[in-house]
Amino acid sequence: MQQPAPDNPIDALVAEKGVLLADGATGTNLFAMGLESGEAPELWNEDAPEKIEALHQGFVDAGADIILTNSFGGTRHRLKLHNAQDRVFELNRKAAEIACRVAGKAESRVIVAGSVGPTGELLVPLGALTYEEAVEAFAEQMEGLKAGGAEVAWIETMSAPDEIRAAAEAAIRVGLPYTYTGSFDTAGRTMMGLAPKDIHSVVDDLGQSPVAVGANCGVGAPDILAALLDMTEARPDATVVVKGNCGIPEFRGTEVHYSGTPELMSEYVRLAVDGGARIIGGCCGTSFEHLAAMRAALDGHREPENRPGIADIVARVGPLRNKSASESGAGTGTRRSRRARG
Ligand SMILES: [Zn+2]
């Protein structure tokens, strides 16, 4: 029998404010601060903490209610690529401490969520990582995040349902409330075939419910809003997150440029409110300037009005890049999005 999520700051702040604003891009903004491609952002928690602090401060100043720690690649499996697999606890603890420093001096309540991304490994039987090893790797990371003051485990950009489950189980084990979001980048589903409407039931067999579920990254604003409609229709009472990319990445030589404007992201916020999202933020490409515009849009549009359909989304923020999950049928495994992005 599944227990409801324990008392947690997200439920409390949603009850107070209705809809919360999460922060914007970590990677994009750190690259702008000089992070080199191939360098692990998490190492900056020790080597350049002032830059991570500036990242969080920029989002708090722009009006974020939730900031995500700089720990997306903080499992031993990801840090191994940078020979830092023995520094998991310290790097994650520092990530949370830096974010807590910024949140602690903010004028209004800012929640520090501990970002937890995929391990980058495939789980058995597709790959070599066992489910128990995945739980242990996530728990190791979350112990560091919790020790540094993270209030919730923010599991994000996930593709495989069993990896979501492993991370959720780790959060329960460590004693953190948790949220999780999938990246619906492949014909309206995750690369591993999970459809937005099915995001709610991924952890039904675990002992404790998530605080929120949803979508992040993926393709552009229109596609994540289409996923939102599926998620809120499937379970209207759930707290649903959308943290969409700021437009579509365009490759200019070695530079990645995102096409989204502050105006487009503002319209995305209003549509997300109307579509039933309770936590709205930006992913790749979302700068401080974009987030400030999103804050203003949210403050001007706190209550859902008319629930949009796909046609409204297309009319207001542009065409879908992929078919939505409902249009694309049952897990056909087409790679339209890969081609569209390349
Ligand atoms: Zn992203």
PDB file of all heavy atoms in Angstrom, residues 269-286:
ATOM      1  N   VAL A 269       4.454  29.858 -20.388  1.00  0.00           N
ATOM      2  CA  VAL A 269       4.034  29.853 -18.974  1.00  0.00           C
ATOM      3  C   VAL A 269       2.515  29.956 -18.874  1.00  0.00           C
ATOM      4  O   VAL A 269       1.878  29.189 -18.138  1.00  0.00           O
ATOM      5  CB  VAL A 269       4.713  31.010 -18.197  1.00  0.00           C
ATOM      6  CG1 VAL A 269       4.039  31.213 -16.842  1.00  0.00           C
ATOM      7  CG2 VAL A 269       6.201  30.723 -18.011  1.00  0.00           C
ATOM      8  N   ARG A 270       1.926  30.886 -19.618  1.00  0.00           N
ATOM      9  CA  ARG A 270       0.462  31.053 -19.529  1.00  0.00           C
ATOM     10  C   ARG A 270      -0.260  29.792 -19.994  1.00  0.00           C
ATOM     11  O   ARG A 270      -1.243  29.358 -19.387  1.00  0.00           O
ATOM     12  CB  ARG A 270       0.031  32.283 -20.341  1.00  0.00           C
ATOM     13  CG  ARG A 270       0.426  33.608 -19.674  1.00  0.00           C
ATOM     14  CD  ARG A 270      -0.097  34.817 -20.426  1.00  0.00           C
ATOM     15  NE  ARG A 270       0.680  35.108 -21.619  1.00  0.00           N
ATOM     16  CZ  ARG A 270       1.704  35.990 -21.670  1.00  0.00           C
ATOM     17  NH1 ARG A 270       2.065  36.675 -20.587  1.00  0.00           N
ATOM     18  NH2 ARG A 270       2.365  36.196 -22.797  1.00  0.00           N
ATOM     19  N   LEU A 271       0.225  29.193 -21.065  1.00  0.00           N
ATOM     20  CA  LEU A 271      -0.382  27.952 -21.554  1.00  0.00           C
ATOM     21  C   LEU A 271      -0.199  26.816 -20.546  1.00  0.00           C
ATOM     22  O   LEU A 271      -1.098  25.981 -20.358  1.00  0.00           O
ATOM     23  CB  LEU A 271       0.236  27.562 -22.904  1.00  0.00           C
ATOM     24  CG  LEU A 271      -0.268  28.370 -24.107  1.00  0.00           C
ATOM     25  CD1 LEU A 271       0.700  28.234 -25.283  1.00  0.00           C
ATOM     26  CD2 LEU A 271      -1.672  27.922 -24.521  1.00  0.00           C
ATOM     27  N   ALA A 272       0.958  26.796 -19.892  1.00  0.00           N
ATOM     28  CA  ALA A 272       1.214  25.734 -18.909  1.00  0.00           C
ATOM     29  C   ALA A 272       0.273  25.878 -17.708  1.00  0.00           C
ATOM     30  O   ALA A 272      -0.254  24.884 -17.208  1.00  0.00           O
ATOM     31  CB  ALA A 272       2.682  25.773 -18.463  1.00  0.00           C
ATOM     32  N   VAL A 273       0.050  27.118 -17.272  1.00  0.00           N
ATOM     33  CA  VAL A 273      -0.913  27.348 -16.177  1.00  0.00           C
ATOM     34  C   VAL A 273      -2.291  26.843 -16.608  1.00  0.00           C
ATOM     35  O   VAL A 273      -2.962  26.095 -15.879  1.00  0.00           O
ATOM     36  CB  VAL A 273      -0.971  28.848 -15.805  1.00  0.00           C
ATOM     37  CG1 VAL A 273      -2.130  29.118 -14.829  1.00  0.00           C
ATOM     38  CG2 VAL A 273       0.354  29.314 -15.185  1.00  0.00           C
ATOM     39  N   ASP A 274      -2.698  27.235 -17.803  1.00  0.00           N
ATOM     40  CA  ASP A 274      -4.027  26.823 -18.295  1.00  0.00           C
ATOM     41  C   ASP A 274      -4.116  25.311 -18.490  1.00  0.00           C
ATOM     42  O   ASP A 274      -5.197  24.723 -18.386  1.00  0.00           O
ATOM     43  CB  ASP A 274      -4.341  27.532 -19.615  1.00  0.00           C
ATOM     44  CG  ASP A 274      -4.571  29.024 -19.426  1.00  0.00           C
ATOM     45  OD1 ASP A 274      -4.788  29.448 -18.274  1.00  0.00           O
ATOM     46  OD2 ASP A 274      -4.533  29.760 -20.433  1.00  0.00           O
ATOM     47  N   GLY A 275      -2.979  24.683 -18.778  1.00  0.00           N
ATOM     48  CA  GLY A 275      -2.954  23.233 -18.971  1.00  0.00           C
ATOM     49  C   GLY A 275      -2.860  22.455 -17.666  1.00  0.00           C
ATOM     50  O   GLY A 275      -2.810  21.229 -17.686  1.00  0.00           O
ATOM     51  N   GLY A 276      -2.803  23.174 -16.538  1.00  0.00           N
ATOM     52  CA  GLY A 276      -2.863  22.493 -15.241  1.00  0.00           C
ATOM     53  C   GLY A 276      -1.532  22.268 -14.560  1.00  0.00           C
ATOM     54  O   GLY A 276      -1.488  21.585 -13.535  1.00  0.00           O
ATOM     55  N   ALA A 277      -0.431  22.830 -15.092  1.00  0.00           N
ATOM     56  CA  ALA A 277       0.872  22.656 -14.426  1.00  0.00           C
ATOM     57  C   ALA A 277       0.887  23.419 -13.108  1.00  0.00           C
ATOM     58  O   ALA A 277       0.310  24.496 -12.998  1.00  0.00           O
ATOM     59  CB  ALA A 277       1.996  23.156 -15.329  1.00  0.00           C
ATOM     60  N   ARG A 278       1.547  22.843 -12.115  1.00  0.00           N
ATOM     61  CA  ARG A 278       1.683  23.496 -10.813  1.00  0.00           C
ATOM     62  C   ARG A 278       3.114  23.970 -10.557  1.00  0.00           C
ATOM     63  O   ARG A 278       3.354  24.759  -9.656  1.00  0.00           O
ATOM     64  CB  ARG A 278       1.265  22.533  -9.702  1.00  0.00           C
ATOM     65  CG  ARG A 278      -0.223  22.296  -9.640  1.00  0.00           C
ATOM     66  CD  ARG A 278      -0.893  23.364  -8.775  1.00  0.00           C
ATOM     67  NE  ARG A 278      -2.328  23.324  -8.858  1.00  0.00           N
ATOM     68  CZ  ARG A 278      -3.067  24.172  -9.573  1.00  0.00           C
ATOM     69  NH1 ARG A 278      -2.481  25.132 -10.279  1.00  0.00           N
ATOM     70  NH2 ARG A 278      -4.366  24.080  -9.591  1.00  0.00           N
ATOM     71  N   ILE A 279       4.050  23.443 -11.317  1.00  0.00           N
ATOM     72  CA  ILE A 279       5.445  23.892 -11.236  1.00  0.00           C
ATOM     73  C   ILE A 279       5.926  24.091 -12.668  1.00  0.00           C
ATOM     74  O   ILE A 279       5.865  23.169 -13.489  1.00  0.00           O
ATOM     75  CB  ILE A 279       6.343  22.876 -10.512  1.00  0.00           C
ATOM     76  CG1 ILE A 279       5.816  22.596  -9.095  1.00  0.00           C
ATOM     77  CG2 ILE A 279       7.787  23.381 -10.469  1.00  0.00           C
ATOM     78  CD1 ILE A 279       6.565  21.488  -8.352  1.00  0.00           C
ATOM     79  N   ILE A 280       6.383  25.311 -12.959  1.00  0.00           N
ATOM     80  CA  ILE A 280       6.785  25.641 -14.328  1.00  0.00           C
ATOM     81  C   ILE A 280       8.185  26.240 -14.284  1.00  0.00           C
ATOM     82  O   ILE A 280       8.471  27.112 -13.469  1.00  0.00           O
ATOM     83  CB  ILE A 280       5.803  26.660 -14.946  1.00  0.00           C
ATOM     84  CG1 ILE A 280       4.372  26.121 -14.902  1.00  0.00           C
ATOM     85  CG2 ILE A 280       6.211  27.003 -16.376  1.00  0.00           C
ATOM     86  CD1 ILE A 280       3.310  27.169 -15.225  1.00  0.00           C
ATOM     87  N   GLY A 281       9.038  25.763 -15.163  1.00  0.00           N
ATOM     88  CA  GLY A 281      10.389  26.311 -15.247  1.00  0.00           C
ATOM     89  C   GLY A 281      10.907  26.180 -16.655  1.00  0.00           C
ATOM     90  O   GLY A 281      10.171  25.810 -17.577  1.00  0.00           O
ATOM     91  N   GLY A 282      12.184  26.474 -16.823  1.00  0.00           N
ATOM     92  CA  GLY A 282      12.820  26.338 -18.137  1.00  0.00           C
ATOM     93  C   GLY A 282      13.942  25.332 -18.056  1.00  0.00           C
ATOM     94  O   GLY A 282      14.525  25.123 -16.984  1.00  0.00           O
ATOM     95  N   CYS A 283      14.249  24.699 -19.174  1.00  0.00           N
ATOM     96  CA  CYS A 283      15.406  23.804 -19.202  1.00  0.00           C
ATOM     97  C   CYS A 283      16.445  24.433 -20.132  1.00  0.00           C
ATOM     98  O   CYS A 283      16.642  25.658 -20.099  1.00  0.00           O
ATOM     99  CB  CYS A 283      14.969  22.386 -19.599  1.00  0.00           C
ATOM    100  SG  CYS A 283      16.180  21.104 -19.154  1.00  0.00           S
ATOM    101  N   CYS A 284      17.084  23.631 -20.975  1.00  0.00           N
ATOM    102  CA  CYS A 284      18.198  24.116 -21.789  1.00  0.00           C
ATOM    103  C   CYS A 284      17.863  25.432 -22.490  1.00  0.00           C
ATOM    104  O   CYS A 284      16.798  25.595 -23.066  1.00  0.00           O
ATOM    105  CB  CYS A 284      18.571  23.079 -22.833  1.00  0.00           C
ATOM    106  SG  CYS A 284      18.955  21.481 -22.132  1.00  0.00           S
ATOM    107  N   GLY A 285      18.795  26.362 -22.426  1.00  0.00           N
ATOM    108  CA  GLY A 285      18.650  27.628 -23.137  1.00  0.00           C
ATOM    109  C   GLY A 285      17.967  28.720 -22.337  1.00  0.00           C
ATOM    110  O   GLY A 285      17.935  29.879 -22.779  1.00  0.00           O
ATOM    111  N   THR A 286      17.424  28.390 -21.165  1.00  0.00           N
ATOM    112  CA  THR A 286      16.663  29.388 -20.398  1.00  0.00           C
ATOM    113  C   THR A 286      17.608  30.228 -19.540  1.00  0.00           C
ATOM    114  O   THR A 286      18.188  29.737 -18.573  1.00  0.00           O
ATOM    115  CB  THR A 286      15.615  28.690 -19.502  1.00  0.00           C
ATOM    116  OG1 THR A 286      14.854  27.787 -20.308  1.00  0.00           O
ATOM    117  CG2 THR A 286      14.692  29.717 -18.861  1.00  0.00           C
TER     118      THR A 286
END
